[in-house]
Amino acid sequence: MDGPMRPRSASLVDFQFGVVATETIEDTLLHLAQQNEQAVQEASGRLGSFREPRIVEFVFLLSEQWCLEKSVSYQAVEILERFMVKQAENICRQATIQPRDKRESQNWRALKQQLVNKFTLRLVSCVQLASKLSFQNKIISNITVLNFLQALGYLHTKEELLESELDVLKSLNFQINLPTPLAYVEMLLEVLGYNGCLVPAMRLHGTCLTLLDLVYLLHEPIYESLLRASIENSTPSQLQGEKFISVKEDFMLLAVGIIAASAFIQNHECWSQVCTTEQDQHGCGAFAEHHWYCLGKHC
């Protein structure tokens, strides 16, 4: 690499909760709720298939090595997830097309092998793109990326690196500023900071980051356990699993759970206060009923 880069955690000194105007909080919450609802509605059965522990850990460790904020790590995982889903869907479409000759039948296999061979390059490109979206981070240079890939045994040129970024951008129609659970967590903490809480929002924030990392690293086991608990059955059917996809992609629900669990860890006494405050923020219509029905047993 360009030189030794010491990992650092996300800086908390710049955070301050409970200082944003109520009108701004209301507008932002409404926007996030609408964004979340749209994402849940658009969730497909393949989403989540690339949030594997080893992949997420790779992204987290690389982001830490390059001194990037936690928000970049989550953003990179979401970009990579959606890009890989698009690529997998493309390969599946190629495989289902009745081949007219041997050349066409081999085409989808070539696409699959190409995806496997370039996976590390694509992952690094997603981290680099995510770093460019954050105003608080330095943009990772192409030289740094190329040196990192070379250290892993992958030899690429600057042109190939730029082409990789462009492939990701085109595949996602340049829509890479994707929402992450952290945005929902921090907005709900702003609400708690404004309303007051037995545990300061700053203390909750640190615990929330740790728990959010854990959820990303153990995504499938956690949600499988939640599915079995919600249906009170250890062997969910395929249909039940497909319906549960909307819960997996519900970042508002995840944020509520993360904050509630953090409050319980920090101070048992503020548990009910956190649940009540968050319920007030989502206590309207079917949207609220969905979130608080899922968390009802735990609150």
Side-chain angles (χ1 to χ4, degrees):
M1 297 190 181
D2 295 339
M5 301 177 70
R6 298 176 60 185
R8 62 177 175 82
S9 59
S11 175
L12 300 181
V13 295
D14 297 331
F15 279 88
Q16 219 176 352
F17 294 104
V19 297
V20 178
T22 55
E23 295 81 6
T24 302
I25 293 177
E26 291 174 358
D27 291 343
T28 305
L29 275 174
L30 179 60
H31 174 71
L32 287 175
Q34 292 172 341
Q35 216 174 26
N36 186 67
E37 188 173 8
Q38 181 180 354
V40 169
Q41 291 175 351
E42 295 175 353
S44 69
R46 292 193 182 93
L47 283 179
S49 58
F50 293 96
R51 291 194 190 106
E52 296 182 0
R54 289 185 300 173
I55 296 174
V56 173
E57 184 180 18
F58 193 145
V59 173
F60 283 5
L61 291 175
L62 181 57
S63 299
E64 186 177 9
Q65 178 66 30
W66 285 345
C67 303
L68 301 175
E69 300 292 338
K70 292 302 300 181
S71 59
V72 176
S73 302
Y74 305 133
Q75 189 94 60
V77 171
E78 297 304 325
I79 294 174
L80 179 65
E81 164 69 14
R82 283 156 177 75
F83 170 75
M84 292 301 295
V85 166
K86 289 283 188 181
Q87 298 303 301
E89 288 175 345
N90 184 40
I91 291 173
C92 289
R93 280 194 298 270
Q94 292 288 336
T96 55
I97 296 175
Q98 184 65 32
R100 288 173 293 184
D101 54 40
K102 185 177 180 181
R103 183 180 301 174
E104 287 189 7
S105 67
Q106 294 176 342
N107 185 43
W108 73 271
R109 291 187 177 89
L111 289 174
K112 178 182 177 182
Q113 190 58 46
Q114 184 183 50
L115 185 63
V116 172
N117 294 341
K118 292 188 176 181
F119 179 76
T120 303
L121 175 62
R122 298 293 191 248
L123 184 152
V124 173
S125 292
C126 290
V127 174
Q128 191 175 18
L129 286 170
S131 75
K132 294 177 180 179
L133 294 173
S134 175
F135 294 109
Q136 299 180 3
N137 287 282
K138 61 181 181 182
I139 297 175
I140 303 304
S141 70
N142 291 337
I143 295 297
T144 299
V145 174
L146 291 174
N147 288 343
F148 171 78
L149 289 170
Q150 185 177 6
L152 296 180
Y154 299 100
L155 300 179
H156 293 286
T157 64
K158 288 184 179 181
E159 290 73 19
E160 289 173 331
L161 187 59
L162 292 173
E163 287 175 3
S164 178
E165 287 191 51
L166 191 58
D167 284 344
V168 174
L169 289 170
K170 286 182 176 179
S171 179
L172 299 179
N173 296 319
F174 292 84
Q175 303 297 317
I176 63 169
N177 192 16
L178 304 170
T180 70
L182 182 59
Y184 294 86
V185 167
E186 291 183 341
M187 178 47 58
L188 292 177
L189 285 177
E190 180 64 35
V191 175
L192 285 175
Y194 183 84
N195 292 340
C197 184
L198 293 179
V199 177
M202 278 302 306
R203 280 175 54 191
L204 287 176
H205 184 261
T207 307
C208 285
L209 288 177
T210 301
L211 291 180
L212 194 53
D213 278 358
L214 183 63
V215 171
Y216 263 89
L217 289 167
L218 300 175
H219 188 272
E220 288 305 311
I222 288 175
Y223 278 98
E224 285 299 319
S225 177
L226 182 58
L227 171 58
R228 290 193 295 268
S230 64
I231 64 174
E232 298 181 345
N233 189 329
S234 60
T235 55
S237 67
Q238 181 178 348
L239 179 60
Q240 288 171 323
E242 291 174 355
K243 289 183 176 180
F244 200 70
I245 293 296
S246 62
V247 176
K248 290 184 176 182
E249 299 304 317
D250 192 332
F251 287 170
M252 185 71 81
L253 173 62
L254 175 57
V256 169
I258 289 289
I259 293 175
S262 298
F264 186 79
I265 291 172
Q266 291 283 348
N267 188 334
H268 296 192
E269 294 179 0
C270 79
W271 171 258
S272 59
Q273 182 186 3
V274 170
C275 289
T276 301
T277 300
E278 290 180 344
Q279 188 170 10
D280 289 343
Q281 296 303 319
H282 303 85
C284 55
F287 184 75
E289 293 176 6
H290 167 69
H291 288 79
W292 292 100
Y293 172 77
C294 293
L295 283 180
K297 296 180 180 179
H298 306 285
C299 284

